[in-house]
Amino acid sequence: MNRQTDLLTVSNLSIGFQLEKEKFLAVEDVSFSIKKGESLGIVGESGCGKSVTAMSIIRLLPIPPAYLSGVITFDGTDILKADIEALHKIRGKEIGVVFQEPSTSLNPTKTIGDQISEVFTTHNPELSKEIIKNKAVELLSKVGIPNAQERFGSYPHEFSGGMKQRVSIAIAIALNPKLLIADEPTTALDVTIQAQILDLIKKIQNERKSSVLIITHNMGIVADFCDRIVVMYAGRIVESAKTKDLFSSTSHPYTIGLLNSIPSATSDKKKLYSITGSVPHPKEYRKGCRFFDRCEKRITECESDVPPPLFKVGEGHKAACWLYENTAE
């Protein structure tokens, strides 16, 4: 791991929740990094711990009931030890977030213009109202909102789902953050709009040389968008690799299942493949391999209570599967 070029480093992150008398870990011993200008995708089914991992990076999880351990370093700052004042300077300015559902992340009682302007008034209070409005209108135009000057005074309910997400992106990139976190940014959008939103995020990344962390369950999205991919299952990382390597030499049975589940126009299969079973609740996690009950390739070693480590299966390619215990490089 090259610390000199890593913008974000997450080391041995575990996230738990205390709910009344119950206590459980939702994410366990997760480590990854993002270099400057790089795009990293975290994929997996709903309930695998992707979003809580992303939200921990800017400490948006309420404590309690959440509790965290490990180290999160962003551009030299220890996030988990930073005080509230330091976090306020990072949130929105250094790290921007595009949430998965713009209908709930945007305030229905405030105009679009006011919500974009709030970013500037919070971090650049010395700017005049006129300058802030001009910047907000410019951002609306940049993210593809037609008639930006007129739409500045519109409310969220007057925008379509795709336009709301564009506004969310405008808010997230307002101060040219070093890292953009996109948490399921295309959820509930039709395929055409999904492509437009992803193209917009990629364009912004290329223009501003920012890093991007994209959270999704869609393998097709990360295939075209990301430099590297981390696959999570039941709160743990089960595979990580450069995008081209993950698709060309998929290793973990869970990742193989995800790829086989993608519909294909050229496939001669009459029935769409699906992974049997479902992601367990954190209270039901096995001590060993958590994919055991759903795996079609399990072997005797998989019955162990010891979780499989991330074995090296290629250059920069790791998989947490006992199949590779004796073949790992």
Side-chain angles (χ1 to χ4, degrees):
M1 190 178 292
N2 189 342
R3 302 286 182 179
Q4 292 183 332
T5 58
D6 286 344
L7 177 66
L8 174 73
T9 302
V10 176
S11 302
N12 307 114
L13 175 68
S14 292
I15 305 170
F17 291 91
Q18 175 81 51
L19 302 177
E20 296 181 352
K21 295 182 180 180
E22 293 184 311
K23 189 175 183 180
F24 56 85
L25 281 177
V27 170
E28 187 175 352
D29 201 25
V30 164
S31 299
F32 61 87
S33 63
I34 304 177
K35 300 185 186 304
K36 294 178 180 179
E38 184 181 40
S39 54
L40 175 72
I42 299 182
V43 298
E45 296 168 275
S46 296
C48 285
K50 307 183 304 296
S51 291
V52 291
T53 298
M55 292 305 99
S56 69
I57 293 171
I58 46 176
R59 278 180 36 196
L60 284 186
L61 299 176
I63 301 176
Y67 57 93
L68 293 80
S69 64
V71 180
I72 301 174
T73 305
F74 173 75
D75 203 24
T77 299
D78 188 331
I79 295 293
L80 297 186
K81 292 182 179 179
D83 58 28
I84 294 300
E85 184 178 348
L87 284 176
H88 284 332
K89 292 179 180 179
I90 292 173
R91 292 171 178 162
K93 185 175 183 180
E94 301 290 332
I95 302 177
V97 182
V98 181
F99 295 97
Q100 61 179 291
E101 183 46 72
S103 294
T104 56
S105 62
L106 295 175
N107 189 330
T109 67
K110 289 186 177 182
T111 65
I112 294 300
D114 283 344
Q115 295 186 62
I116 298 176
S117 298
E118 188 176 4
V119 180
F120 294 105
T121 56
T122 299
H123 293 280
N124 301 116
E126 73 281 359
L127 297 178
S128 67
K129 289 184 178 181
E130 182 180 359
I131 291 176
I132 289 175
K133 181 178 180 179
N134 289 338
K135 286 180 175 291
V137 170
E138 183 181 349
L139 276 169
L140 285 174
S141 297
K142 189 168 191 63
V143 297
I145 300 296
N147 304 314
Q149 188 74 40
E150 291 75 17
R151 302 313 295 270
F152 180 87
S154 299
Y155 287 86
H157 73 270
E158 299 177 273
F159 281 60
S160 67
M163 290 176 68
K164 288 177 188 176
Q165 195 60 296
R166 289 175 183 271
V167 173
S168 297
I169 293 172
I171 294 171
I173 66 168
L175 298 175
N176 196 22
K178 296 176 182 177
L179 173 64
L180 182 64
I181 298 175
D183 184 11
E184 298 278 11
T186 59
T187 296
L189 301 179
D190 63 56
V191 177
T192 303
I193 303 301
Q194 283 183 20
Q196 292 176 3
I197 294 299
L198 292 171
D199 286 345
L200 175 60
I201 294 175
K202 177 59 73 173
K203 179 182 178 183
I204 290 167
Q205 179 190 19
N206 291 335
E207 288 178 351
R208 305 189 177 202
K209 309 302 180 186
S210 56
S211 301
V212 175
L213 172 62
I214 188 165
I215 310 296
T216 182
H217 60 268
N218 190 325
M219 294 295 286
I221 287 177
V222 292
D224 295 329
F225 189 93
C226 298
D227 299 309
R228 289 189 299 117
I229 298 173
V230 167
V231 182
M232 287 189 69
Y233 181 77
R236 290 178 181 157
I237 291 177
V238 296
E239 189 165 2
S240 64
K242 292 180 180 179
T243 300
K244 60 181 179 64
D245 294 334
L246 187 129
F247 280 88
S248 63
S249 56
T250 314
S251 299
H252 198 281
Y254 177 60
T255 311
I256 293 172
L258 290 178
L259 291 177
N260 287 340
S261 301
I262 300 175
S264 173
T266 59
S267 175
D268 57 359
K269 295 180 180 179
K270 295 182 179 180
K271 186 177 180 181
L272 183 65
Y273 175 85
S274 64
I275 304 173
T276 58
S278 58
V279 181
H281 188 278
K283 292 184 291 185
E284 301 170 351
Y285 285 163
R286 292 181 78 251
K287 290 182 179 179
C289 176
R290 292 174 179 173
F291 191 58
F292 177 83
D293 294 330
R294 305 176 71 190
C295 186
E296 298 176 353
K297 297 186 176 183
R298 59 193 181 208
I299 55 178
T300 303
E301 287 82 353
C302 301
E303 299 176 8
S304 169
D305 285 342
V306 178
L310 282 163
F311 295 108
K312 183 178 179 181
V313 295
E315 186 62 38
H317 190 168
K318 296 180 179 181
C321 180
W322 290 116
L323 290 172
Y324 304 102
E325 181 180 17
N326 298 319
T327 60
E329 294 182 0

